[in-house]
Amino acid sequence: MDLFDFIKNTIQNNFKNELQNSINNSIENAVYFNIDVIRNYKNIYIISVGKASLSMYKALINTFEKYNLSFNKALVIYDINLKDQIKDLEILENNKKIELIESTHPLVSDNSFKAAKKIIDLALEFDNENSLFLFLISGGSSSMVEDSIIPPITLAEIYKILLQFDFSIYKLNTYRTFLSNIKGGKLLQYFNKSKIISLIISDVPFNSIDTIGSGLTAFYKKLSYQEMNQLISELSQYLKILIDSRILLNIINKNKEIEKIMENKLDYLKGNLHNFVLLDNFESIYLLYNQMKNLKEYYKLNVKNKDFEIEIVSTHINLDIINLTNFFKSFIFTKLKEYLKRDIKDKIKVYLFGGETYLKVLKNGYGGRLQHLVLYLIKELYYLLINQFNIDELKNKVDILFFSLATDGKDGNTDKAGVILPIFEFFNKDISKIEKYLDNFNSGIFFDNPKNNKYLINLPYGLINLNEIYGIIFDFKKY
């Protein structure tokens, strides 16, 4: 097993298993921490929504069984692309207490509105002092549940346009919240007496609760007059065809109406709303770090008997693809210079990074931002390094691997989690061809090629949804 196979197998097998364990353990710990509160309520209603809704719900029910807890009803809102996984979750079948609701991601649909209505109706019917509403929220909730004065088909087109810009997740969710009747804590307008506990898996850097899933159960934040005007100005510019002044006026009035409702709920929510972030990208990177650390002795004994070091550099990078590529390019260049000056001895060195990047999509291609990132980095490194080093000599002194992966198992419109590849191996390819794939946003087609698909990383979609993980691995040799 060479270094490439070792890293890839660690991610696809050991790391995958640890991700599943992390969900089970975090859910059980959260229930145990709140068990006295949970047992105080006669009526418990579960609402699980997001890409990880199925795995979170299964973990919760296993924990309920362990502690002899019961519930009245559960709504499990899941991505329709996970329909085939239902049969593998025996706990969801033939149970009249559970309602499975198909929805869509990344665009809203009629199903998203139907799912939101189910939640609202449940709240309106069972909101009282004896009720506990237990939310399980993961990334993807933004599109899977929605209520807006804008019709679903129009709102889907708006989402599609906004997703094509290189907006950060924070900016994107600001727009989503403004256009929605339930995001940014607005869903809480339908609660008056119940206890609300949300167990959340974060897929955004810095774990902003009002950004994860667009903040379904976040504390409501009033928009200032200046903020509202700014949003109207920007949306008018981006969505000229889809939103006219009449629609914008209706959205403003709806926001003001909800604002008045929420003003009267502040004291109630302060005492009855509890949001807990169970997992974030630090945990995912730390899990991968531990797996590599545990297995490095195996690699040293069976493959190469040399020092093997692993380092977490950052867990919450939030840069667009151009700036993220420049960061990685500079990092690799700096480490190469240090090595050639003999500041770094012969060893294997793994650097791990986490966060989320974003990309302005100009064409409807096939691929994802992580596959795009890898190809873009190859191109940029090629033009940098050929002007700084003798590449043939450098190849004899060091090998470099780079990987990028989505913990949710799905990069863009592909069914792959990401890519791992040897940098110098791609210097032998025609860079102009790589540039064409980049120009057409077809990174997925490039890696689906039988010559290149060995570089693809597979993780099960729907297992978890944290941030992205990037890795740079150097095999520094003696010279």
Side-chain angles (χ1 to χ4, degrees), residues 402-455:
F402 180 82
F403 72 81
S404 62
L405 69 96
T407 53
D408 69 356
K410 195 173 189 337
D411 181 28
N413 56 11
T414 75
D415 61 354
K416 305 302 179 185
V419 178
I420 177 170
L421 51 76
I423 295 289
F424 290 139
E425 192 172 307
F426 277 71
F427 279 20
N428 298 325
K429 297 183 182 292
D430 187 341
I431 296 297
S432 65
K433 289 184 179 178
I434 289 177
E435 289 175 331
K436 287 179 182 177
Y437 283 101
L438 287 169
D439 290 343
N440 291 302
F441 294 85
N442 278 328
S443 57
I445 294 177
F446 178 89
F447 285 109
D448 272 354
N449 186 306
K451 294 180 180 178
N452 301 323
N453 62 14
K454 65 181 178 181
Y455 305 113

Side-chain angles (χ1 to χ4, degrees), residues 148 401 413:
S148 174
L401 296 174
N413 56 11

Side-chain angles (χ1 to χ4, degrees), residues 26-56:
S26 64
I27 294 281
E28 181 174 345
N29 290 339
V31 170
Y32 181 77
F33 179 79
N34 291 283
I35 198 158
D36 290 337
V37 175
I38 294 171
R39 282 180 171 154
N40 275 338
Y41 286 89
K42 296 178 181 178
N43 306 310
I44 298 176
Y45 303 94
I46 300 167
I47 299 165
S48 187
V49 57
K51 292 181 186 177
S53 62
L54 296 173
S55 57
M56 289 184 77

